[in-house]
Amino acid sequence: MEIKKNVVNGEATVSLVGRLDTVTAPELEAELAALFPSINSLVLDFTELEYLSSAGLRVLLNSQKTIGKTGKMVIKHVNDIIMDVFDMTGFSSILTIEE
């Protein structure tokens, strides 16, 4: 998985390319943890995300809880496969997902 980051005025946009799974989830978790102290808004761009496992869902849930204390998290550009995962797990009602 490739992680692309852009931080401007307290808003981080993180674009994910490839698979967010058991192998890559710890990498994303570490990248986000390093960002949290300096941001109040997190946008996750899933335009090029191909796969999402339960390990990835855990990172998203933990990130939502962490940033929710001081700011907001939005997930954008979710493809149908990832949206099906969100719908089946109930995450579509927990997370803020935008086009």
Side-chain angles (χ1 to χ4, degrees):
M1 178 181 69
E2 181 182 354
I3 301 171
K4 302 175 187 176
K5 297 180 291 187
N6 184 33
V7 180
V8 177
N9 296 328
E11 178 175 296
T13 300
V14 177
S15 301
L16 304 179
V17 179
R19 299 170 56 91
L20 179 53
D21 56 22
T22 304
V23 174
T24 59
E27 179 184 356
L28 177 61
E29 190 168 39
E31 293 280 348
L32 294 177
L35 288 174
F36 286 140
S38 63
I39 63 170
N40 56 19
S41 177
L42 173 63
V43 176
L44 294 171
D45 185 342
F46 280 11
T47 301
E48 298 181 78
L49 187 66
E50 301 166 359
Y51 176 80
L52 176 66
S53 75
S54 59
L57 289 171
R58 181 186 55 77
V59 172
L60 296 178
L61 184 60
N62 287 339
S63 297
Q64 174 73 28
K65 287 179 181 178
T66 300
I67 194 103
K69 296 173 186 173
T70 59
K72 64 178 182 169
M73 181 177 96
V74 176
I75 300 173
K76 294 187 175 186
H77 310 292
V78 178
N79 67 35
D80 291 341
I81 294 168
I82 305 296
M83 196 65 210
D84 284 346
V85 172
F86 286 154
D87 287 340
M88 286 188 295
T89 58
F91 274 61
S92 55
S93 63
I94 298 170
L95 302 172
T96 302
I97 303 169
E98 298 179 354
E99 290 298 315

